[in-house]
Amino acid sequence: QLQLVESGGGLVQAGGSLRLSCAASERSFSAYVMAWFRQAPGKEREFVAAIRASGSSDYYADAVKGRSTISRDNDKNTVYLQMNSLKPEDTGVYYCARKMTGWYNREHSDASAYGDWGQGTQVTVSS
């Protein structure tokens, strides 16, 4: 089981930026598709972005496309989410997760395709 620890959340004004980090406990991290999800109060968890194990491909939810960039450093066992032009609707707890299948198997946005989750980091965007 891969342990994941998110950091980098906080309070930011609309239009601002944040960079989230997710550190994994094992070197096997480099073999997995990783993703970010978020959950706003009273809402279901939703997909944000995913990145291939090699880092060569990525995929975004329409809600963040063009404003966010997912990246990874396999030498540091870490995946990142750079978020720019933040909006109040980006508020929520952000989670990183390890996909249990390869890049071409199962929808990236399907939360049930992910087996390990971090504890989350809170992002609050004020208007």
Side-chain angles (χ1 to χ4, degrees):
Q1 185 176 4
L2 198 64
Q3 294 189 359
L4 303 168
V5 179
E6 301 95 336
S7 61
L11 174 63
V12 63
Q13 288 188 333
S17 299
L18 279 176
R19 188 194 196 202
L20 307 183
S21 299
C22 171
S25 59
E26 299 178 9
R27 293 286 296 175
S28 59
F29 163 86
S30 64
Y32 301 122
V33 175
M34 297 296 297
W36 287 93
F37 285 74
R38 67 187 181 187
Q39 188 166 19
K43 295 188 177 181
E44 292 188 355
R45 192 170 297 189
E46 66 172 356
F47 171 79
V48 176
I51 187 167
R52 200 167 181 173
S54 65
S56 60
S57 300
D58 52 25
Y59 180 77
Y60 298 90
D62 288 344
V64 303
K65 194 176 297 181
R67 300 188 295 120
S68 297
T69 302
I70 188 171
S71 62
R72 65 192 298 162
D73 185 336
N74 286 341
D75 289 334
K76 295 182 178 179
N77 296 346
T78 303
V79 61
Y80 305 96
L81 182 68
Q82 175 70 44
M83 300 188 294
N84 302 321
S85 302
L86 282 162
K87 305 175 182 180
E89 50 263 45
D90 292 318
T91 294
V93 179
Y94 282 69
Y95 301 89
C96 67
R98 173 188 70 86
K99 197 176 185 188
M100 296 186 289
T101 66
W103 184 250
Y104 295 106
N105 306 101
R106 309 264 314 257
E107 294 290 335
H108 300 312
S109 59
D110 181 359
S112 68
Y114 295 82
D116 296 316
W117 295 81
Q119 83 292 344
T121 186
Q122 176 70 45
V123 172
T124 303
V125 184
S126 63
S127 57

